[in-house]
Structure formats: structure tokens, C-alpha cells
Amino acid sequence: MRIVGEWINKFKKLLCALGEANETEKMIPIKGAHISGVSYRNIGDVGREFLYDVVSEGLKVRVHTTCNPGYTKEGEEDLQDRIYHNFIMLGCEESFTCTPYYLNRKIKCGDVLSWAESSAVVYANSVLGVRTNRESGITALASAILGYTPLYGLLRSEERRPWVRIKIKWRDIDEKKAGLLGYYIGEKIGRVPFIEGILLTEEEFKYLGAAIATASDISIVHVKGLTKEHKWASKYEMHTIEMKGEELREVEEKLSQTEGGEAVILGCPHLSFNELREIAEATSQIRRVKKRALLFTSRAVYSTALSMGYIEKLRRKGFEIYTDSCVMCKYVEELEEVYTNSVKAAFYLYNRMGIRSCLKSTREIIQEVLLG
Amino acid sequence: MILRGKSIVEGEVEGPLVYSHEPITFFGGVNPESGKIVEEGHPLKGVEISGKILILPRGKGSTVGAYVIYYMKKKGTAPLGFVLGRFDTIIVSGCIISEIPLLILEDGEFEKTSDDVTFGVIRHNELEIYDKNLKLSRRP
């Protein structure tokens, strides 16, 4: 027999225990939450039944809450829809994306949030200057329902400080190199870095952040000239490491395991409007792409791109465009080798599904693979 | 040898020890059905963690890991207990809702462990580690 109010009490205990583990009793209100653990493929019936129980208790989120995309195997779509339905019943926004920072909603520097999705956490803390810990799918859900989080970790200024100054001694950067750099820092250095000597766009940072979160528990990265707190962060005394670029070769060999691919996979994390536009413009001169190409983005970015005509342009060239989905979905599952620009995708596609990646920058993929 | 720490989820468990130098991601790095570590290139690839005390420096990777720990508990493939060198929200919250004993070590304690030890007991605020053969031979 299920006890009414079981999960609300467990959620309260969970957040108290989280506070206790970090020696704080203080709870702080949050302005928003982002939940991971949405895919039937990942959480299975155990997770689906847990969410059903939470909804059956009549619980609702107290703050604006977004969710990760879900995916599952062929024939299990109905079970995935039931999970989506549970999140909608909880009051979450009906948009499933790993890039909640691209939604048309103002997030202010200094806002306290409770976000899961490790890549989004790094981006939000670093580029937007919000304060969120790298929450688990379950603690983010608990905080969304209760409206607060323990005052710990990255909500405190002193824990956002960098420990290692990384001087980059090469100039050219792209999505792939940014990802390899992130993975290298996560795996070999493992402490909050202050990166200088390289100019990164926000999109390139997205790939760096996603990769650093794949290889470590680092949840904030300072980059000179780009991230919100870089001036404050640069004042700390740090151990300095110089990087020439060849350090990344080992990581590349581990994660880029093939020379070719059956299809191009872009959108891990979900593509921004700028990226979609650039892909559309770079392929405007050809009739059709030479390789199957799957693009993953959020509903919000999709609708902006749609209204400006880019979606139609891309579809006419043969691009497949998916929203509320993930590169680990059933359309990719049937493949053995793919081209991607994302180190994070390469890691999880191989370790979860045995799919090998050929890592290239977006530009290389367009020029060498799609334009042929 | 006794390592000092802080019990986050109380409970006394004794069992074989799996000692990982490297962090582990439960999503992508562990197969929840078999209870084995599957991450390519991980020093413990192929090692089963079900029914064992897992000691690791810290977590990494996907925030879905907490669900994976909960899933493993329900399926009977979860570790017996966790010992962490550094706090990690994903592993800690997974253990809390799954009611798996969890200890976070004090600074410097993780480095005192070695690959030689094969068994451990998690108690309140401590982990005792020992070589099973030696301990058995000492017993009357």
C-alpha cells in the first residue's frame, strides 16, 4: 500500500540530508529548475513508476521548470509519452531540451537555480553567471517541487573560485577542439580552471562545457574575455599550466575512433539558432547534402528558425531536424559509425550504445562530408 | 586500517571492496543490468560492483546517475555501500533515496587506501579496510 505524502516527505529529507552533508541547515529559494532523467531508455520502468507515484500524490512544481529531452527504443514510444505526460502533470514547461538557456525566458546573472543536466549547469554558471549546483535529476525535481535548495557548493562565492590557470598557446579553436580541451581538463586536471589565451564563442564554450562535465564533476569554468566572473576569478593565485595543443591527441584518439560515418549527427547539446543558421547558409549553394544528416534542437530555437525560413531551407537540402529528442534516440541507434562535432556525444554514444564517432568541427563536417 | 569520514546515509555493511582510482559516471559508465563498469578505457572496465563496497575519489558525468543507482537498487545490482573521497550530489542523492549506506571521507583519507585491501566495513563515520585472508587468520 502506498502512503499518501510519501514522496513529499522523502524530498524534504533528501534536501535536508544534502544540506547536512555540506554542513548547512540553510535553505534558499530558487527561481527555476531543470530536470534530467526523462528518457525511458535511461530510467526504465523503475523511474517511470517513481514519477507516476510523485504525480499521484498531487505534487506540482513551485517554480518555472524545464526538462531534458527523452528518447527510447523503437516500439516503446508510448512509455516515453507517459513520462512526458507525468512531467506536464507536474507543471513543467512542455518543451524538452538540454539547452534550457536557449529558451525565450530571461535568466539573470546571480539567479539561484536548481539545474540538472551537467552541460547546462556548466554553461549557466559560467556564461550566464547564475548560481546552480550540478544537481541530480532527483534533487532538481525535489527542489522544483519544494521551491528551495540547500545553500551549498556553487551557491557560495568562495566555491566558484578557479584553482588552475591554463594558458593556451595555440590560436585556432572550433567545436571539436573546444570539446577535446574540456575533456582533457576534466580528466587530467579535475579542478575548476581559469582558461586564457584563446578566444571562444559562446557556442564553442557549450562544447567545452559539455565535455568537461562528461569527464569530471567540474561545474563552472572561467574563460578570460568570455565568462561572467572571469575578472573576479583571475585575481586568485593559481598553479599555472601551459598547453601547446598536442596534449589533446590522446583524448582525440580515445574518442574519435573511426575515419568515416554513415550519417552526420549535430546537436549535442542542442543546436543554437546561430548554429542552425550557419549550417543553412553554408549549405545554401548545393542541391542536396551528400550524407544523411540529423540535427537536434529545442522547440524554441526550431520555431525561431522556422519563422525565418531556415528550417525549410535545411529540409529542402535533406537535413532531418528533430526537437524534444536527443542524439541517443532510435534514429541514431541503428547506426554503427557517425560524424559529430561533439566530444560529449562521442563519449556517450560509444559507452551507452557502442556507436563509434569520427570527430570533426562543424565546418569540416560541412565542407568534407556534406558538400562532398 | 580505519579511514575517518562522515556518514551521510547511516548503516553498517561489510563486504568485498572495489577501489577505483578514477571517478565513475553511473550513466554511461556502468551497466545497471549487469552491475559492471563498462566505460571504455576505465581502469576497472569489466569489474562488477554489485554487492560490493565501492570506494571512489569523486563522481563525474551525467546527472541521470542518481536514477541509475536507484534503478540498480530496485533490480538488485547496486553496490552494498559507497565511500566517496569528495561530495557529489549525484551519487549522494542516489544513495539517499535508495537507502544505500554512504560515507564521505575526510580530506586526505582517500589517499591512504591501497589496492591490496580486499574487504571493508562501513560503520558510523568510518570505514575499516582489511585483507580478508589476514583478518580470517587472526580470528579464533
Side-chain angles (χ1 to χ4, degrees):
Chain A
M1 196 186 73
R2 202 171 55 78
I3 310 151
V4 176
E6 188 189 355
W7 278 105
I8 187 82
N9 289 327
K10 278 195 181 172
F11 287 153
K12 283 179 188 165
K13 277 189 192 156
L14 171 63
L15 295 188
C16 282
L18 214 57
E20 238 172 74
N22 286 283
E23 276 142 23
T24 180
E25 286 177 14
K26 198 169 174 196
M27 297 290 161
I28 180 168
I30 55 166
K31 286 204 170 167
H34 180 78
I35 297 169
S36 68
V38 178
S39 295
Y40 179 68
R41 178 77 196 259
N42 300 343
I43 64 173
D45 288 322
V46 170
R48 190 176 57 79
E49 282 158 18
F50 154 74
L51 289 167
Y52 178 79
D53 288 346
V54 172
V55 170
S56 302
E57 270 184 36
L59 300 177
K60 297 276 177 196
V61 297
R62 286 200 187 186
V63 292
H64 180 254
T65 303
T66 47
C67 303
N68 255 11
Y71 54 87
T72 194
K73 289 180 185 168
E74 189 80 42
E76 293 174 344
E77 294 84 352
D78 180 44
L79 295 162
Q80 181 60 51
D81 284 346
R82 284 198 230 169
I83 292 175
Y84 277 157
H85 183 68
N86 282 334
F87 282 115
I88 293 162
M89 292 289 284
L90 282 169
C92 301
E93 186 174 325
E94 203 177 329
S95 169
F96 300 92
T97 177
C98 53
T99 55
Y101 43 88
Y102 289 151
L103 296 177
N104 302 321
R105 197 184 166 82
K106 282 275 165 286
I107 299 169
K108 289 198 302 291
C109 181
D111 280 356
V112 175
L113 305 173
S114 187
W115 277 17
E117 175 47 46
S118 57
S119 68
V121 169
V122 178
Y123 192 94
N125 276 315
S126 312
V127 176
L128 307 177
V130 310
R131 298 195 163 208
T132 174
N133 284 301
R134 175 169 147 272
E135 297 293 340
S136 71
I138 293 169
T139 54
L141 175 64
S143 284
I145 286 168
L146 293 166
Y148 57 76
T149 185
L151 180 58
Y152 78 105
L154 293 185
L155 307 188
R156 297 190 181 125
S157 297
E158 64 272 21
E159 302 218 15
R160 299 169 73 85
R161 64 157 291 187
W163 291 89
V164 189
R165 188 184 296 274
I166 299 173
K167 286 190 174 173
I168 305 293
K169 292 296 194 185
W170 77 88
R171 284 178 181 280
D172 56 319
I173 191 85
D174 53 41
E175 302 83 5
K176 178 180 104 175
K177 285 191 184 125
L180 293 174
L181 175 60
Y183 196 93
Y184 178 89
I185 295 171
E187 188 176 68
K188 308 284 183 199
I189 298 169
R191 306 288 316 254
V192 175
F194 180 90
I195 302 171
E196 62 180 41
I198 198 135
L199 285 173
L200 284 172
T201 65
E202 288 180 2
E203 270 85 5
E204 284 157 355
F205 182 88
K206 177 176 72 174
Y207 293 94
L208 185 151
I212 211 168
T214 299
S216 72
D217 57 358
I218 295 170
S219 305
I220 184 167
V221 175
H222 304 283
V223 181
K224 193 175 178 182
L226 176 73
T227 55
K228 270 280 186 298
E229 294 162 16
H230 76 92
K231 282 183 186 155
W232 165 81
S234 71
K235 288 171 192 153
Y236 281 94
E237 267 191 34
M238 290 169 261
H239 172 61
T240 301
I241 292 173
E242 284 193 359
M243 284 185 69
K244 293 197 174 72
E246 58 241 32
E247 301 90 340
L248 304 182
R249 212 169 294 144
E250 190 191 323
V251 179
E252 184 171 1
E253 277 166 16
K254 184 162 113 177
L255 293 163
S256 188
Q257 299 166 307
T258 167
E259 295 289 309
E262 298 147 77
V264 167
I265 309 292
L266 297 173
C268 175
H270 280 169
L271 294 167
S272 69
F273 173 74
N274 281 338
E275 288 177 289
L276 269 184
R277 187 184 59 197
E278 277 169 27
I279 296 166
E281 286 172 353
T283 51
S284 64
Q285 298 304 317
I286 55 158
R287 284 187 59 144
R288 225 178 149 73
V289 288
K290 298 284 187 290
K291 186 75 81 178
R292 194 177 162 208
L294 294 81
L295 308 180
F296 294 84
T297 190
S298 62
R299 282 192 204 186
V301 166
Y302 181 89
S303 62
T304 311
L306 184 72
S307 68
M308 294 179 74
Y310 290 112
I311 297 296
E312 204 199 328
K313 280 181 189 156
L314 287 163
R315 286 209 196 281
R316 239 188 287 133
K317 307 289 176 195
F319 283 101
E320 299 168 35
I321 307 166
Y322 299 97
T323 61
D324 300 328
S325 189
C326 170
V327 299
M328 294 178 66
C329 71
K330 61 185 178 187
Y331 305 106
V332 178
E333 188 167 15
E334 59 205 35
L335 307 171
E336 286 178 4
E337 295 184 340
V338 297
Y339 291 100
T340 184
N341 62 356
S342 166
V343 163
K344 174 178 181 172
F347 179 90
Y348 286 111
L349 282 174
Y350 185 73
N351 285 304
R352 274 290 282 188
M353 297 160 113
I355 300 167
R356 290 184 300 275
S357 290
C358 173
L359 280 169
K360 286 178 182 293
S361 69
T362 310
R363 203 181 131 97
E364 286 166 343
I365 286 176
I366 291 170
Q367 294 193 335
E368 298 166 21
V369 184
L370 297 179
L371 301 185
Chain B
M1 179 165 52
I2 289 186
L3 302 180
R4 313 292 311 173
K6 185 173 172 182
S7 289
I8 306 301
V9 183
E10 295 282 358
E12 188 173 321
V13 281
E14 178 165 11
L17 205 65
V18 176
Y19 174 57
S20 180
H21 291 271
E22 297 294 325
I24 292 172
T25 172
F26 275 79
F27 175 76
V30 175
N31 180 333
E33 310 294 340
S34 68
K36 285 183 179 165
I37 294 175
V38 294
E39 184 190 329
E40 191 60 40
H42 196 283
L44 296 186
K45 191 186 172 193
V47 172
E48 191 175 334
I49 56 173
S50 308
K52 295 176 181 168
I53 293 175
L54 179 63
I55 172 165
L56 71 167
R58 57 190 182 276
K60 70 169 181 176
S62 170
T63 59
V64 180
Y67 273 107
V68 177
I69 292 170
Y70 184 61
Y71 182 95
M72 291 173 81
K73 177 71 181 184
K74 293 272 177 183
K75 295 276 175 181
T77 57
L80 201 57
F82 279 78
V83 180
L84 275 173
R86 179 158 109 195
F87 177 84
D88 179 81
T89 307
I90 295 160
I91 292 174
V92 169
S93 62
C95 287
I96 293 171
I97 66 152
S98 311
E99 293 167 4
I100 300 172
L102 166 82
L103 179 77
I104 298 178
L105 296 175
E106 288 172 8
D107 286 349
E109 294 287 281
F110 181 81
E111 291 71 22
K112 291 184 189 166
T113 51
S114 80
D115 294 327
D116 306 336
V117 293
T118 55
F119 253 68
V121 196
I122 298 180
R123 297 195 197 90
H124 177 66
N125 289 346
E126 67 174 43
L127 167 74
E128 186 185 349
I129 53 179
Y130 58 91
D131 186 311
K132 193 186 176 190
N133 299 325
L134 292 178
K135 177 135 181 175
L136 285 179
S137 64
R138 273 209 308 274
R139 279 178 182 165

